[in-house]
């Protein structure tokens, strides 16, 4: 009895150590893949989503309550003022906005700094009827940039745009979609909209190391509340 | 340690492993975003001799009636509301009347996804009717906007509207009707309306047609007589549309030779598991001979 007990104890200790090692090993491996999924899940985003997958994050789909809107007469557009700051509380984004124009080749200029987003001045002013466009980098050549967490936005999230005048406009996210760059949805992003809308654009998907470009764009579509 | 115990422990670990690795596979799906609103609707009052109204909306799927617009007077056009596509009943009651009173007018709107509509009361009060006008959201030709005419002036009857030194918007439109859209080069224009029913009745309005904009011109009976033109911006797109996609990343967080790294980690994990498994078997065997 005593002899057996003496032999058992180290064995038990050894098996406990083995189990611990195995569990730690499994946690490390799964942790690695979880990080990888977080980084690349933007890839799988977009495209019509399986409708069954969420109920919690969506704003009420009930069409019943539309709210009361006071009818206005002729269109009296608010005075257009320049947007200067963008805040997205749910993903910790807070950035000033630089001005973006068209490049010589007709493409949209991107911000000169990795950590600052930019507003496309040739489009619509945020808060005015139509789609206002703000673009930002997903990463720099070394690490995350201003729109790194954009893929984590969900429908119903709030986006705040501060104007030069001090007014803060509140937008609500309708959807987040990923498009291959050779099928960029120009009409969806820049085409006519009947209310004040906002688009946030960054890169997503596979990174092509030969050209130094991502192969997809991630677009957040939101409207003024 | 007996075989059953080892098996139990290993199977528990297997379950833990599956649970841990399954989580990241499931997480992205939970972030998907269903579309709550996919159509646009606005209300309008185009009946010259009808007092202000409250407008109610009832979803066919659901049935609850809600006050939508309050105190809508002649010539008013509300802002668009994002709404879930489907069929709704629009009803109008005199402004301030209880929701339990019978409405003076009820009609049905069928909203398709991705489209915008105007639900309007038109005609004189003794012939009041509800109409649904489909509003375009199509991008106008480059460098131009789209303009149409909504004829809500009972006094003017049949009317022609043209942009001064520019395109004709309509040669003849009757009270209560809406014309098709006409492309107008972007810029500042004066729109002239001339009644053919009442040759002395004419009016004009200045309008800036933005590139990629969509505008309605509403013809109204002036309060003090005459013909009044009012412009409403229906929709607007980005004036200068950038070509192609947006290059917004440096690649610093892109998985570096991602597939290879994944394989390495996966094999390391498997190897680790195999080693511990063998270790378990060995210690079990060593125990066996000493058992009774």
């Amino acid at each position: 009895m005593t002899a057996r007990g003496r032999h058992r104890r180290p064995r038990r200790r050894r098996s406990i150590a083995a189990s611990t090692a195995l569990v730690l090993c499994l946690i490390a491996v799964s942790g690695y893949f979880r990080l990888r999924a977080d980084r690349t899940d933007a890839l799988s985003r977009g495209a019509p989503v399986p409708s069954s997958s969420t109920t919690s994050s969506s704003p009420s789909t009930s069409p019943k309550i539309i709210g009361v809107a006071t009818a206005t007469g002729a269109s009296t557009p608010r005075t257009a003022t320049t947007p200067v700051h963008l805040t997205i509380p749910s993903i910790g984004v807070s950035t000033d906005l630089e001005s973006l124009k068209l490049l010589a080749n007709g493409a949209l200029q991107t911000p000169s700094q990795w950590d600052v987003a930019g507003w496309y001045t040739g489009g619509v002013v945020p808060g005015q009827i139509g789609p206002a466009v703000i673009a930002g980098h997903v990463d720099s050549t070394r690490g995350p940039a201003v729109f790194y967490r954009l893929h984590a936005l969900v429908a119903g999230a709030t986006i705040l745009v501060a104007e030069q005048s001090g007014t803060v406009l509140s937008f609500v996210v309708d959807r987040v979609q990923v498009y291959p760059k050779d099928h960029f949805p120009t009409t969806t992003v820049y085409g006519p909209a009947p209310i004040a809308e906002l688009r946030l654009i960054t890169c997503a998907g596979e990174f092509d190391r030969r050209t130094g470009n991502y192969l997809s764009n991630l677009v957040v579509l939101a409207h003024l509340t | 340690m007996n075989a059953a115990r080892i098996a139990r422990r290993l199977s528990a670990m297997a379950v833990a492993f599956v649970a841990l690795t399954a989580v990241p596979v499931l997480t992205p799906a939970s972030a998907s975003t269903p579309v709550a609103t996919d159509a646009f609707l606005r209300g309008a009052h185009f009946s010259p001799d009808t007092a202000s109204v409250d407008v109610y909306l009832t979803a066919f799927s659901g049935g609850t009636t809600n006050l939508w617009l309050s105190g809508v007077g002649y010539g008013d056009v509300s802002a668009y509301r994002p709404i879930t596509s489907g069929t709704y009943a629009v009803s109008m009651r005199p402004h301030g009347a209880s929701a339990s009173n019978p409405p003076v007018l009820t009609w049905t709107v069928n909203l398709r996804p991705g489209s915008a509509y105007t639900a309007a009361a038109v005609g004189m009060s003794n012939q009041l009717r509800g109409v649904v006008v489909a509003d375009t959201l199509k991008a106008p030709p480059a460098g131009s906007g789209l303009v149409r005419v909504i004829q809500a002036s009972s006094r003017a009857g049949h009317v022609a509207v043209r942009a001064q030194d520019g395109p004709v918007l309509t040669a003849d439109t009757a009270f209560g009707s809406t014309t098709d859209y006409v492309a107008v080069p972007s810029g500042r224009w004066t729109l002239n309306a001339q009644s053919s029913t009442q040759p002395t009745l004419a009016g004009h309005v200045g309008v800036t047609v933005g590139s990629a904009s969509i505008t309605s011109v509403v013809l109204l009976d002036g309060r003090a007589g005459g013909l009044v033109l009012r412009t409403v911006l229906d929709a607007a797109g980005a004036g200068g549309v950038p070509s192609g996609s947006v290059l917004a990343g440096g690649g610093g967080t892109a998985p570096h030779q991602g597939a290879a790294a994944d394989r390495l980690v996966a094999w390391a994990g498997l190897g680790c598991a195999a080693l511990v498994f063998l270790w378990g078997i060995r210690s079990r065997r060593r125990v066996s001979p000493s058992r009774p």
Side-chain angles (χ1 to χ4, degrees):
Chain A
M1 183 63 207
T2 44
R4 204 188 265 175
R6 241 196 337 258
H7 275 111
R8 242 191 199 175
R9 227 169 280 133
R11 258 185 219 134
R12 193 176 290 159
R13 233 180 273 142
R14 207 191 297 163
S15 80
I16 286 168
S19 312
T20 312
L22 178 57
V23 167
L24 284 177
C25 172
L26 296 178
I27 287 173
V29 171
S30 73
Y32 170 84
F33 281 104
R34 192 190 293 232
L35 280 176
R36 286 271 292 102
D38 185 45
R39 172 67 193 81
T40 52
D41 69 352
L43 239 181
S44 58
R45 288 292 176 68
V49 288
S51 55
S52 59
S53 56
T54 37
T55 45
S56 56
S57 66
S58 65
S60 168
T61 51
S62 163
K64 285 173 241 157
I65 297 160
I66 299 185
V68 178
T70 310
T72 56
S75 64
T76 46
R78 299 175 338 99
T79 320
T81 72
T82 312
V84 292
H85 197 86
L86 171 76
T87 312
I88 314 174
S90 65
I91 56 167
V93 169
S94 180
T95 171
D96 283 344
L97 294 171
E98 56 179 69
S99 293
L100 305 179
K101 297 181 169 56
L102 290 186
L103 298 169
N105 66 2
L108 181 63
Q109 185 186 13
T110 43
S112 58
Q113 299 172 68
W114 300 117
D115 292 335
V116 177
W119 165 59
Y120 173 45
T121 59
V124 173
V125 179
Q128 303 280 310
I129 289 176
V133 174
I134 291 175
H137 295 282
V138 65
D139 58 11
S140 66
T141 48
R142 328 183 62 161
V146 62
F147 277 174
Y148 182 66
R149 300 267 305 144
L150 209 59
H151 66 87
L153 266 183
V154 293
T158 301
I159 301 173
L160 303 170
V161 176
E163 299 179 312
Q164 201 151 40
S165 63
T167 308
V168 177
L169 305 168
S170 178
F171 294 85
V172 61
V173 173
D174 292 314
R175 56 189 207 271
V176 180
Q177 295 208 270
V178 173
Y179 304 93
K181 283 189 176 172
D182 49 3
H183 287 96
F184 188 82
T186 296
T187 308
T188 305
V189 173
Y190 304 111
I195 58 172
E197 298 193 347
L198 181 68
R199 282 86 172 89
L200 305 181
I201 307 176
T202 192
C203 275
E206 297 278 334
F207 186 75
D208 184 341
R209 294 195 180 273
R210 283 168 308 144
T211 62
N213 292 319
Y214 279 96
L215 298 181
S216 300
N217 272 131
L218 183 143
V219 180
V220 175
L221 299 113
H223 72 267
L224 188 70
T225 53
Chain B
M1 217 200 275
N2 59 31
R5 221 150 118 211
I6 290 174
R8 254 204 312 274
R9 191 166 294 182
L10 284 174
S11 65
M13 283 171 180
V15 167
F17 180 76
V18 167
L20 284 166
T21 51
V23 169
V25 177
L26 297 176
T27 335
S30 68
S32 55
T33 56
V35 177
T37 61
D38 55 358
F40 301 94
L41 180 65
R42 66 180 176 183
H45 181 321
F46 295 140
S47 174
D49 63 344
T50 300
S52 287
V53 295
D54 294 339
V55 188
Y56 292 77
L57 207 55
T58 310
F60 270 37
S61 57
T64 319
T65 300
N66 288 278
L67 179 63
W68 172 31
L69 301 166
S70 175
V72 185
Y74 171 57
D76 284 346
V77 178
S78 81
Y80 283 102
R81 305 291 304 184
I83 188 170
T84 306
S85 57
T87 306
Y88 296 81
V90 179
S91 46
M92 285 183 169
R93 292 181 174 82
H95 178 45
S98 162
S100 55
N101 286 7
V104 295
L105 186 64
T106 298
W107 70 107
T108 300
V109 297
N110 188 9
L111 311 178
R112 292 221 295 259
S115 303
Y117 302 86
T118 304
V122 300
M124 303 305 283
S125 59
N126 59 357
Q127 294 179 325
L128 193 64
R129 66 187 203 277
V131 298
V132 182
V133 181
D135 306 327
T136 193
L137 292 177
K138 251 198 280 178
S144 64
L146 298 176
V147 184
R148 71 172 173 191
V149 176
I150 297 172
Q151 210 307 56
S153 165
S154 62
R155 235 173 256 148
H158 287 260
V159 185
V161 184
R162 68 174 300 159
Q164 199 167 305
D165 306 320
V168 172
L169 298 182
T170 172
D172 178 25
T173 182
F175 173 56
S177 51
T178 300
T179 70
D180 289 337
Y181 293 91
V182 171
V184 175
S186 59
R188 183 84 192 157
W189 293 94
T190 298
L191 306 178
N192 293 310
Q194 172 65 57
S195 166
S196 56
T197 310
Q198 291 275 337
T200 55
L201 204 54
H204 67 271
V205 70
V207 63
T208 300
V209 175
S211 185
S213 71
I214 300 169
T215 305
S216 289
V217 182
V218 185
L219 309 183
L220 299 166
D221 287 343
R223 229 168 251 162
L227 173 61
V228 170
L229 282 73
R230 188 182 278 176
T231 59
V232 178
L233 180 64
D234 295 344
V241 176
S243 62
S245 57
V246 181
L247 306 178
T253 66
H256 210 76
Q257 291 155 345
D262 286 359
R263 245 176 279 134
L264 194 73
V265 173
W267 280 114
L270 263 177
C272 175
L275 264 174
V276 177
F277 179 77
L278 289 173
W279 194 355
I281 297 282
R282 243 185 77 211
S283 49
R284 192 218 146 233
R285 276 206 188 124
R286 242 186 256 155
V287 170
S288 312
S290 64
R291 288 173 82 198

